Amino acid sequence: MKQFIASILPFGLVNWYLKKKKISYINRMVSERKKKLILINRQRNAVQTKGKYINFGCGKNYQNGWINIDGENNGDINLFFSTKNVIPFDSNSIDGVFSEHFIEHIDFLTGVHFMSESYRILKPKGVLRIICPDLDYVLNGLSDLKLNKLKEMFISVGDFRRLPKDISNAEVINWMFYGHGHKFIYNFECMEHLLYSVGFSKVELSSFGKSTDSNMPIERRRDESFYSLYVDAIK
């Protein structure tokens, strides 16, 4: 029926309608994601944290009661992190360091330096919690369903202004590795090895909203949990 209606309408009108429908779909996905992030952020900020905790690479996720660090003037401390600087706190002085979708935006050596610096400033038994894209989502085999979930997620973030069917598989896989400022994608095997190498005594695979330290899971990006890696490292 839709094809029949489209066939008798002027081409320009059909084209206008399809374009408007596509834009509406994309805007709705972006809007729904933003609403979810705001809701989860409010829930997290309502929790009172006892101790000294760092929200590293906080972006717009400012956590009340924490020390929020970011490279773009979003937090309490503005720090563009590299191998040439340190996290500005004394050794053995911090209860926990949290990082959500930050480490993939720095190169490999800077990432290792971040792990090492986090270990240095943490108190004994302190926790470093890292969340980032999981390379195993790709390595363990991709189906059309898994690829479509990635496409829809990148659309909701605002990275693609197209429908899933108009985004090629090659584009979305390359975007996971190189888009949105990504520089290195980890899996658990790689991250576990690095965390142990800088001194951590225990490294655990975790999940959204769960941690060995109940104060630590302040992550907001639930919709991205399907392809995210959650790791708790204990000093």
Side-chain angles (χ1 to χ4, degrees):
M1 186 64 180
K2 289 181 179 179
Q3 289 180 337
F4 171 73
I5 294 173
S7 67
I8 63 175
L9 289 173
F11 177 75
L13 185 60
V14 173
N15 212 29
W16 170 83
Y17 171 75
L18 292 176
K19 184 177 180 181
K20 185 176 181 180
K21 187 176 180 181
K22 179 180 74 171
I23 293 172
S24 176
Y25 166 81
I26 294 169
N27 289 342
R28 186 173 69 253
M29 290 189 70
V30 173
S31 177
E32 287 174 355
R33 179 180 183 273
K34 287 180 178 178
K35 288 178 182 177
K36 289 177 182 177
L37 291 181
I38 291 170
L39 177 62
I40 293 174
N41 198 34
R42 286 173 179 166
Q43 293 170 342
R44 294 289 183 258
N45 279 327
V47 178
Q48 296 298 315
T49 303
K50 294 181 179 179
K52 199 171 185 180
Y53 289 82
I54 292 175
N55 181 15
F56 201 98
C58 63
K60 302 298 183 182
N61 183 19
Y62 188 92
Q63 184 66 20
N64 292 334
W66 287 50
I67 302 159
N68 297 273
I69 299 178
D70 196 66
E72 297 182 357
N73 292 310
N74 292 312
D76 308 298
I77 297 174
N78 184 45
L79 175 66
F80 187 82
F81 191 72
S82 73
T83 55
K84 297 179 180 179
N85 55 29
V86 298
I87 302 176
F89 291 92
D90 293 333
S91 300
N92 305 305
S93 64
I94 301 296
D95 293 283
V97 178
F98 172 89
S99 168
E100 181 182 27
H101 284 266
F102 158 74
I103 199 167
E104 70 271 20
H105 293 274
I106 54 180
D107 63 68
F108 178 76
L109 291 178
T110 306
V112 177
H113 182 54
F114 169 69
M115 296 178 196
S116 180
E117 272 296 288
S118 296
Y119 177 83
R120 178 186 65 80
I121 65 173
L122 282 169
K123 297 176 182 177
K125 305 301 181 182
V127 176
L128 166 62
R129 182 169 176 82
I130 296 177
I131 299 131
C132 61
D134 188 357
L135 179 61
D136 282 339
Y137 187 82
V138 174
L139 294 183
N140 291 339
L142 286 171
S143 63
D144 289 340
L145 179 62
K146 289 176 72 174
L147 281 165
N148 200 63
K149 287 182 73 174
L150 272 181
K151 291 175 183 179
E152 289 184 339
M153 189 274 293
F154 283 132
I155 290 169
S156 72
V157 172
D159 293 337
F160 289 99
R161 300 295 297 180
R162 285 175 282 157
L163 300 178
K165 66 181 181 64
D166 299 322
I167 305 169
S168 69
N169 293 342
E171 282 181 279
V172 77
I173 294 302
N174 274 279
W175 194 256
M176 179 176 173
F177 284 92
Y178 306 115
H180 215 66
H182 291 179
K183 293 186 178 180
F184 191 88
I185 306 299
Y186 299 81
N187 64 355
F188 181 69
E189 179 187 26
C190 174
M191 189 169 288
E192 180 186 40
H193 169 73
L194 294 171
L195 289 165
Y196 277 130
S197 73
V198 300
F200 284 94
S201 64
K202 189 176 183 180
V203 180
E204 296 181 342
L205 187 62
S206 186
S207 60
F208 184 93
K210 297 180 180 179
S211 174
T212 52
D213 181 340
S214 61
N215 291 311
M216 292 297 288
I218 61 169
E219 56 268 15
R220 299 187 308 158
R221 294 156 75 162
R222 185 193 302 273
D223 286 358
E224 296 171 39
S225 62
F226 73 93
Y227 93 120
S228 292
L229 176 65
Y230 297 81
V231 177
D232 282 357
I234 298 96
K235 184 170 179 176

